[in-house]
Amino acid sequence: MIDWYFSHIVLIQSTLTTLLLALSVQVPLRAGVFSFAGVGCYGIGGYIAAIGMVHYGLSTATAILLAAVAGGVVAYALGLLIQRLTGLYLAMATVAFTLIISVLVVNGGDLTGGAAGLFGALGMLDTGHLLAVAAVVVAALTFTELGPLGRRVEAVREDPELASAMGINVARYRRATFAVSGVLGGLAGSMTVLLRSTVTPDDINFHLVVLALTIIIVGGSRSWIGALVGTVIFVWMPEMLAFVGEWEDVVYGVLVAAAAVYLPGGVTGAVVDGYRTYRRKRRETADSPPDAPPPQPAAAAVGGDS
Amino acid sequence: MAQHILNAVALGSVYLVFALGMALAWSTIGILNFAHGATFMFSAFTAHVVTQHVALPMPAVVLVAVAAGALIATLTQVLAFGPIMRRATDHRSAELRILIGGIGVAAIPLAIAERVTASAPFGFRGSTYQAQVFEIAGLRMTTTVLVIVVAGIGIGVGVWRWLATSRQGLALRAIGVDSETASLMGVDRSTLALGTMATAGALAGLAGALLTFQLGAIAPASGDQLLIKAFAIVVLGGLGSMGGVIVGAFVLAGAETFVLAMNQGTWVDAVSFGLIFAVLLLRPQGLFGRKEVRRT
Amino acid sequence: MVSGTVEDVGEARDAAATECVLRAADVAVHFGGVKAVDGVSIELTAGRIFGVLGPNGSGKSTLLAALTRLVPLTRGSLEFEGRRYDTVRPHTIAARGVARTFQTVRILPGRTVFDNVALGAESAGSAGKAERSRARQRVRTAIERTGLAGKERHRPDELSYGYQRRVEIARAIASEPTLLLLDEPTAGMNRQERDDITGLLGDLRGEGLTQLLIEHDVQMMVEACDHLFAMNFGELIAGGEPEAVVRHPAVQEAYLGTQGRAHA
Ligand SMILES: Nc1ncnc2c1ncn2[C@@H]1O[C@H](COP(=O)(O)OP(=O)(O)O)[C@@H](O)[C@H]1O
Ligand SMILES: [Mg+2]
């Protein structure tokens, strides 16, 4: 066990940081906002943490905090700027935002280290810290998925007009998801960089956008559990697919395409649907005398999905 | 100066052919194909492999790439987008799933090409084609550039006029504007989708062959970059306007050439990203697009 | 009824003493060249059921969208409980106490009946424990009153269309609104179900809830409403005491299909 842990420590740590990155795209998507701003903030956070440590000698905690705040502020401002866009247009505007950041850091001179990037930003981070941050984030997100807030977020996604007719300030929810995704992206980026000790412009690329998106689509986009499942699948796939060797990327492509076609709710969505069908079947057989009283719901109904 | 303009026109012609295919599928059957860049790359790669075995003349190389592009896009439609469109319940989830499906499909040819070439650039050295250099009015020009410009502008204007005036073009535009009315008009959506995708793929293949001839070689990863540039072009021109794609392609090529000529090479990519951002912010319907960006 | 194009029939203007809940003056909504609503003025007084009759496409749903701020006004003004609201955003007016149902069922597909109704009861953004238990109570009441008891845990796709419509209504009344706007709430229901719903609306009126009801069934509207408006081509063609409105020549004409030439 201990041996296994030390030989897989890089994968374990990158599972946790990648989870945060995936969540930075999932949070807005769950409210119907198709934004990749979180990935841009991953880049911003990574560079802010590296600059803070290399040029200003910040402590690890300060650097991460600064990165998270900067990510949130930048994403929120971006959200204000482009709040009129929806769907693919919003998606591509935020992809453009993300890629512009990579061009900016190439041209950032000594501050960003240009095309070579920055070195020597090794933070005092261990798996325990990462786990703690991930746990806090997941707990907070669970709160937004359950109960009244979860219902409102779902209404904002499924039918914004209905949501606003129900008294929900849809625009405010959308802007809030930008800020949250920025914070998550900033956390993910800064912690990744401080673990690796380096950051280069090539770290912020289109592939990162693709990775975050495929994780939540394959895992499931409705809950952090989906993001976790997807993260585990994609981070550990090279390990698990060692037997296919160089064809790993082909398998990756086939998996993603197949998920898009056959698993609209991702792996977790398929499991939940299967469970519901099973429960309904059971209830139908239990209900078979038509005038039998249906199962009494009131007490359990509050938390929503159980 | 004139040399720069000539470079911009050649680059713009390749952009045009590539972006035209993307715009065609997106504005009519609503498919933003994220495998379009991979189709482009893999068509050229197929032609590369063929020329390693048979010494083909230029037109034959182009033909191989065009056929490969059409085939890849058709397969993509049959295996991924078609099933998604049949299964999706609402437009928004279909849009997202088509995007993801395209990303997945794109990974496959990229992985194959990168493995075979070890990620090194590839070209058509096996072809019998030799570029001739000649000078017109002090401008150094190659036959390759001439072919590219003629093909690019010819096809661009051709597709634009065809869509605007022919019966099939009308049917396609009808489906882009309102698929229900179109199906009432007796337009068969899935056949049309297949034909459109094949055409779009053929255009990607053509662009792949042309760019490889001009640059000498392209890298397997060049498809993704081109994809984002094409998006910038379509957004700038305005979705639904083929004339807009023509303008957008040359504007982007011109701007990029200008940045290069100013010796600001590291900023070249920012042109397309910045363009996407600025256009969506200031004029989301693009220069010539339909007034309203579709409500979601 | 200020607009000159409206003919008041029967019943005289309501006594000035009655409190006016909503006032819309010269409201117009144009979609490009389509004048979906064109110069409609109405006043809704407290505790009564108002009805809107009109052929398909006459602008009834668009009027409701205008009253709930879901479409921008081309012109005109809106006032709720004495405050202008023609520039506020839709959630604001909903939070002030205007609830509505939609002509097509719009409920969250992945959520239970309870959750969907709860969306109406608590969306004002309630935090405290006491407030949450009050909201839960409102949900239960709404579910019982709409005949959904026992179906709380069902998902929309397990319900018949009639029951899905009841969820819409339950969600609207769960917010305990001051004004309830209903867009064809009984469409697709059978006679018995319709009677249930009109009975419910009558009860709600008894409790002082002001309502604006859109329906096609003329007989039902005459029975259920205290006051009728009739629309055609985006304009009010009559308003007043129900029996009189139904007999009004312009209304007869609109319903008998000779309307085309008269208003073209
Ligand atoms: N969003 C819209 N865009 C364009 N036209 C619309 C829109 N909504 C409604 N209309 C048009 O406005 C008119 C009135 O529609 P509606 O209010 O739904 O009528 P009703 O509810 O009385 O059947 C119709 O001609 C309809 O086609
Ligand atoms: Mg209607």
Side-chain angles (χ1 to χ4, degrees):
Chain A
M1 185 64 201
I2 301 284
D3 284 349
W4 182 87
Y5 170 74
F6 281 109
S7 58
H8 291 85
I9 190 162
V10 173
L11 277 185
I12 293 168
Q13 292 180 340
S14 98
T15 305
L16 293 168
T17 53
T18 309
L19 172 64
L20 293 176
L21 174 70
L23 288 173
S24 81
V25 174
Q26 190 194 45
V27 165
L29 197 61
R30 205 149 51 75
V33 176
F34 198 5
S35 158
F36 295 105
V39 182
C41 294
Y42 173 96
I44 292 176
Y47 265 94
I48 285 190
I51 290 168
M53 289 202 90
V54 173
H55 294 315
Y56 300 99
L58 295 184
S59 73
T60 304
T62 319
I64 292 175
L65 204 67
L66 196 65
V69 170
V73 170
V74 170
Y76 187 80
L78 179 71
L80 285 181
L81 204 60
I82 60 179
Q83 56 182 334
R84 276 174 36 221
L85 299 176
T86 56
L88 281 178
Y89 291 91
L90 177 62
M92 291 307 288
T94 54
V95 167
F97 159 77
T98 298
L99 297 178
I100 285 171
I101 294 192
S102 72
V103 179
L104 287 180
V105 293
V106 169
N107 294 286
D110 285 343
L111 186 66
T112 61
L118 287 171
F119 300 87
L122 189 57
M124 308 276 277
L125 270 183
D126 61 33
T127 312
H129 296 130
L130 298 184
L131 267 175
V133 171
V136 169
V137 165
V138 161
L141 291 182
T142 306
F143 175 70
T144 71
E145 288 171 12
L146 299 178
L149 187 55
R151 286 193 271 273
R152 291 203 285 273
V153 170
E154 191 165 326
V156 168
R157 173 185 74 235
E158 292 290 330
D159 192 341
E161 192 177 84
L162 167 70
S164 62
M166 295 291 116
I168 298 169
N169 186 344
V170 172
R172 210 178 78 193
Y173 275 68
R174 289 200 173 135
R175 288 195 301 269
T177 68
F178 268 94
V180 173
S181 87
V183 169
L184 293 176
L187 281 175
S190 57
M191 296 199 304
T192 305
V193 167
L194 298 186
L195 284 168
R196 276 191 214 148
S197 85
T198 67
V199 60
T200 70
D202 288 342
D203 294 336
I204 317 162
N205 54 29
F206 189 57
H207 181 72
L208 210 55
V209 171
V210 167
L211 177 70
L213 186 59
T214 49
I215 282 177
I216 55 182
I217 295 300
V218 172
S221 55
R222 296 290 181 261
S223 144
W224 65 264
I225 298 173
L228 179 62
V229 170
T231 305
V232 169
I233 292 176
F234 286 106
V235 173
W236 292 78
M237 199 167 64
E239 177 92 355
M240 295 185 280
L241 288 182
F243 64 94
V244 293
E246 289 144 320
W247 299 108
E248 180 205 324
D249 285 342
V250 176
V251 177
Y252 164 89
V254 173
L255 273 183
V256 172
V261 178
Y262 298 106
L263 297 179
V267 173
T268 47
V271 171
V272 170
D273 284 349
Y275 174 67
R276 265 186 205 155
T277 315
Y278 163 77
R279 237 185 22 180
R280 190 192 304 186
K281 285 236 173 73
R282 263 193 24 183
R283 195 167 55 203
E284 271 161 16
T285 44
D287 279 357
S288 41
D291 50 353
Q296 254 316 309
V302 172
D305 274 351
S306 51
Chain B
M1 178 65 199
Q3 196 68 49
H4 287 311
I5 292 176
L6 185 64
N7 290 344
V9 170
L11 185 64
S13 301
V14 175
Y15 284 176
L16 173 57
V17 174
F18 181 82
L20 212 52
M22 181 170 166
L24 191 66
W26 188 13
S27 65
T28 58
I29 52 177
I31 288 179
L32 177 56
N33 179 8
F34 261 61
H36 198 62
T39 307
F40 153 93
M41 180 279 298
F42 205 74
S43 310
F45 177 73
T46 308
H48 157 76
V49 172
V50 171
T51 53
Q52 282 185 324
H53 299 284
V54 202
L56 293 177
M58 183 191 213
V61 175
V62 170
L63 212 62
V64 169
V66 167
L71 184 67
I72 297 167
T74 308
L75 282 176
T76 310
Q77 175 67 20
V78 171
L79 296 177
F81 299 161
I84 291 174
M85 284 159 83
R86 278 197 302 278
R87 286 155 173 271
T89 46
D90 66 301
H91 181 84
R92 193 153 48 103
S93 82
E95 197 170 70
L96 183 61
R97 287 166 64 190
I98 283 176
L99 195 98
I100 304 287
I103 286 172
V105 168
I108 300 168
L110 179 64
I112 296 174
E114 283 194 330
R115 183 175 135 75
V116 174
T117 63
S119 300
F122 55 83
F124 301 142
R125 293 181 60 190
S127 158
T128 57
Y129 173 73
Q130 292 289 318
Q132 311 286 313
V133 182
F134 55 94
E135 247 177 67
I136 306 176
L139 271 183
R140 271 172 52 85
M141 176 122 160
T142 63
T143 41
T144 318
V145 168
L146 195 66
V147 169
I148 288 173
V149 171
V150 170
I153 295 179
I155 285 171
V157 174
V159 170
W160 173 34
R161 296 322 306 163
W162 173 77
L163 211 54
T165 54
S166 78
R167 257 190 70 85
Q168 297 99 312
L170 182 70
L172 260 180
R173 282 186 300 136
I175 240 177
V177 173
D178 177 358
S179 57
E180 265 171 47
T181 316
S183 70
L184 287 179
M185 285 165 57
V187 179
D188 176 22
R189 203 177 148 84
S190 65
T191 314
L192 208 54
L194 209 60
T196 308
M197 281 295 287
T199 311
L203 289 169
L206 177 62
L210 293 180
L211 191 65
T212 311
F213 272 117
Q214 193 195 3
L215 300 180
I218 64 168
S222 55
D224 278 350
Q225 281 173 331
L226 208 55
L227 192 72
I228 291 170
K229 290 183 202 260
F231 187 88
I233 289 167
V234 177
V235 167
L236 175 62
L239 184 60
S241 161
M242 293 300 146
V245 175
I246 300 178
V247 174
F250 289 107
V251 167
L252 180 65
E256 287 186 348
T257 310
F258 176 77
V259 171
L260 268 179
M262 295 286 110
N263 270 324
Q264 300 291 325
T266 52
W267 289 97
V268 166
D269 287 337
V271 175
S272 48
F273 309 151
L275 209 56
I276 292 175
F277 205 76
V279 173
L280 287 179
L281 204 59
L282 303 174
R283 198 180 158 82
Q285 76 274 29
L287 292 178
F288 308 103
R290 291 193 287 265
K291 197 81 204 153
E292 191 186 8
V293 171
R294 188 176 39 68
R295 306 189 311 157
T296 33
Chain C
M1 268 51 60
V2 226
S3 163
T5 60
V6 182
E7 261 184 80
D8 262 308
V9 279
E11 167 197 49
R13 180 95 55 96
D14 305 308
T18 333
E19 188 195 347
C20 176
V21 175
L22 181 137
R23 179 179 287 119
D26 191 30
V27 165
V29 178
H30 299 177
F31 298 108
V34 180
K35 297 179 175 176
V37 173
D38 201 27
V40 169
S41 303
I42 57 173
E43 277 181 23
L44 308 182
T45 45
R48 308 173 74 205
I49 301 184
F50 295 81
V52 184
L53 275 177
N56 272 328
S58 57
K60 307 181 296 295
S61 297
T62 308
L63 176 63
L64 231 57
L67 297 183
T68 47
R69 296 287 303 124
L70 293 178
V71 290
L73 298 188
T74 306
R75 75 168 187 269
S77 68
L78 301 167
E79 209 175 272
F80 179 66
E81 293 181 322
R83 283 165 76 188
R84 282 283 289 268
Y85 73 94
D86 37 63
T87 54
V88 308
R89 286 187 295 163
H91 64 89
T92 316
I93 192 61
R96 281 191 205 159
V98 180
R100 66 165 294 168
T101 69
F102 291 89
Q103 183 175 347
T104 50
V105 173
R106 287 166 87 165
I107 45 190
L108 301 181
R111 291 282 187 162
T112 61
V113 167
F114 185 96
D115 282 359
N116 269 288
V117 177
L119 192 63
E122 64 203 1
S123 48
S126 40
K129 226 190 169 83
E131 172 53 31
R132 279 183 69 168
S133 93
R134 271 201 298 278
R136 219 174 310 152
Q137 192 51 49
R138 286 201 294 271
V139 177
R140 291 213 194 90
T141 312
I143 283 179
E144 265 160 37
R145 299 191 73 164
T146 47
L148 285 163
K151 300 207 182 294
E152 290 91 337
R153 306 275 278 152
H154 285 60
R155 283 167 207 281
D157 58 359
E158 301 170 293
L159 296 177
S160 71
Y161 188 69
Y163 275 99
Q164 294 184 12
R165 300 228 66 124
R166 288 170 193 240
V167 176
E168 280 260 324
I169 299 167
R171 185 180 58 202
I173 64 176
S175 65
E176 299 193 333
T178 313
L179 172 65
L180 177 60
L181 310 171
L182 299 138
D183 197 344
E184 305 193 17
T186 70
M189 287 188 177
N190 61 34
R191 190 75 245 172
Q192 177 59 46
E193 288 177 311
R194 284 181 176 219
D195 290 346
D196 290 352
I197 299 301
T198 42
L200 171 64
L201 301 185
D203 291 350
L204 291 168
R205 170 181 50 190
E207 294 156 25
L209 177 61
T210 316
Q211 296 161 58
L212 182 64
L213 173 64
I214 296 177
E215 277 294 348
H216 280 296
D217 184 333
V218 174
Q219 193 201 334
M220 173 187 148
M221 288 293 267
V222 170
E223 286 166 12
C225 300
D226 303 304
H227 187 114
L228 272 188
F229 299 106
M231 286 185 76
N232 203 13
F233 297 105
E235 295 177 7
L236 277 189
I237 52 173
E241 195 262 322
E243 300 277 357
V245 167
V246 171
R247 279 196 308 271
H248 190 279
V251 178
Q252 294 275 327
E253 192 181 88
Y255 268 91
L256 292 175
T258 48
Q259 69 272 41
R261 273 145 269 145
H263 285 264

